[in-house]
Amino acid sequence: MYEDKKNAIVTGAARGIGKEIAIGLAKKGLNVVVSDIMKEEAEKTANEIKKLGVKAIVVIADVSKPDDAVRLVKETVDAFGSVDFLINNAGITRDNLAVRMSEADWDLVLNINLKGTFLCTQAAVKEMMKKRFGRIVNISSVSGILGTAGQVNYAASKAGVMALTKTFAREYGARNITTNAIAPGYIITEMTEKLPESVREEYLKNIPLKRGGTPEDISNVVNFLISPEGSYITGTTINVSGGLVI
Ligand code: NAP
């Protein structure tokens, strides 16, 4: 990791992939802002992180709310002095066939997954530009590459995240800010435990590596993308799916 860049925000960090990303960053010596809408769980995660010998604070923020995104960045700067790394991980699903999907479920998923990523990135980039340094990783999904039946809102939001990633990469590369995305495949978390058994079996059938991924598989790639070794990569999406997408 960089000697003098120490401060990271992870959204949706209370549990699942976000929690593992937050722990992975702490293991590399970074201070972590654990941001989520679930206070109790977020505090548990922050306490686990502090045991790793770094600083951790909780900022309760709904990424889809512009004021929350701005406050998230402000509270990070107030507590740690800078935002060096931003991991936009908060995301939800509200699945249904397209013909049955309500406008409310369309809006909710787009607002959290896509608009939330935009709002947090916009707020963080303003700070990163002042320091001429920033590393941003957006958690997209293979659904945004493949399209997934029953997930028109989710797939569209995650495809949008990939396009947003490319655009931020082009606009802020000259300020030494890289923006990349990860498209996880089938990762075993509470989100995917909710899927019907038949859907999970179908995934496994199509994964050449014949296993679901772990949150750590994603955290490892985040650590690479924000490290000096990953500093010449920007605007890309790395598919971490055991070969589900080839
Ligand atoms: P998860 O276990 O449901 O965790 C997501 C976290 O984000 C939860 O703590 C959730 O809080 C929080 N969150 C929800 N809405 C939020 C908001 N408006 N503002 C801030 N935080 C919010 O999901 P996960 O499986 O770890 O997924 C993490 C990311 O990976 C998501 O972007 C997801 O789309 C992506 N992904 C996951 C998989 C997979 O197989 N699991 C595959 C591809 C991509 P609540 O619990 O209160 O909602």
Side-chain angles (χ1 to χ4, degrees):
M1 286 294 158
Y2 297 90
E3 279 299 305
D4 56 337
K5 311 291 178 200
K6 291 281 174 213
N7 306 317
I9 296 174
V10 184
T11 68
R15 62 185 171 101
I17 294 173
K19 176 178 178 179
E20 192 58 42
I21 291 171
I23 290 171
L25 298 174
K27 284 182 179 164
K28 295 283 175 192
L30 302 188
N31 303 317
V32 184
V33 174
V34 175
S35 186
D36 207 286
I37 48 176
M38 290 201 295
K39 190 162 189 282
E40 216 172 291
E41 293 285 313
E43 272 163 7
K44 269 194 228 158
T45 302
N47 287 336
E48 271 184 57
I49 288 175
K50 282 183 211 159
K51 288 186 194 141
L52 296 166
V54 296
K55 292 184 217 160
I57 59 165
V58 170
V59 176
I60 299 304
D62 177 343
V63 295
S64 67
K65 304 268 188 307
D67 291 350
D68 281 21
V70 169
R71 182 174 48 78
L72 169 59
V73 169
K74 184 179 181 308
E75 288 188 21
T76 304
V77 175
D78 289 349
F80 294 159
S82 65
V83 182
D84 306 311
F85 309 100
L86 170 67
I87 317 302
N88 285 302
N89 164 80
I92 62 159
T93 51
R94 288 292 182 277
D95 298 352
N96 214 333
L97 289 176
V99 291
R100 292 196 197 127
M101 182 154 297
S102 67
E103 185 184 354
D105 280 350
W106 172 269
D107 286 347
L108 187 67
V109 169
L110 269 289
N111 281 343
I112 294 175
N113 297 8
L114 181 56
K115 185 176 163 190
T117 300
F118 165 67
L119 291 172
C120 292
T121 307
Q122 185 188 49
V125 157
K126 287 179 185 168
E127 276 305 315
M128 290 170 170
M129 284 199 301
K130 293 182 200 161
K131 300 271 157 78
R132 290 279 197 278
F133 181 90
R135 299 286 176 264
I136 299 162
V137 181
N138 300 322
I139 306 301
S140 175
S141 168
V142 292
S143 292
I145 301 169
L146 296 170
T148 314
Q151 292 197 312
V152 67
N153 49 359
Y154 184 77
S157 73
K158 294 299 189 178
V161 165
M162 287 184 248
L164 175 155
T165 299
K166 293 176 192 177
T167 308
F168 272 95
R170 286 190 193 280
E171 287 190 12
Y172 304 101
R175 307 293 178 96
N176 191 22
I177 298 170
T178 68
T179 312
N180 291 292
I182 295 173
Y186 171 53
I187 308 297
I188 300 158
T189 65
E190 281 173 50
M191 182 185 263
T192 47
E193 271 167 9
K194 283 187 275 180
L195 291 170
E197 190 58 35
S198 58
V199 176
R200 285 191 271 163
E201 275 169 19
E202 190 60 28
Y203 269 128
L204 287 178
K205 217 166 62 190
N206 293 314
I207 296 172
L209 291 181
K210 294 296 166 212
R211 69 167 176 92
T214 64
E216 209 181 352
D217 290 320
I218 306 305
S219 157
N220 289 338
V221 180
V222 170
N223 279 346
F224 168 65
L225 285 171
I226 68 160
S227 72
E229 289 78 11
S231 64
Y232 200 56
I233 303 173
T234 196
T236 196
T237 297
I238 299 188
N239 125 45
V240 184
S241 67
L244 181 62
V245 173
I246 292 181

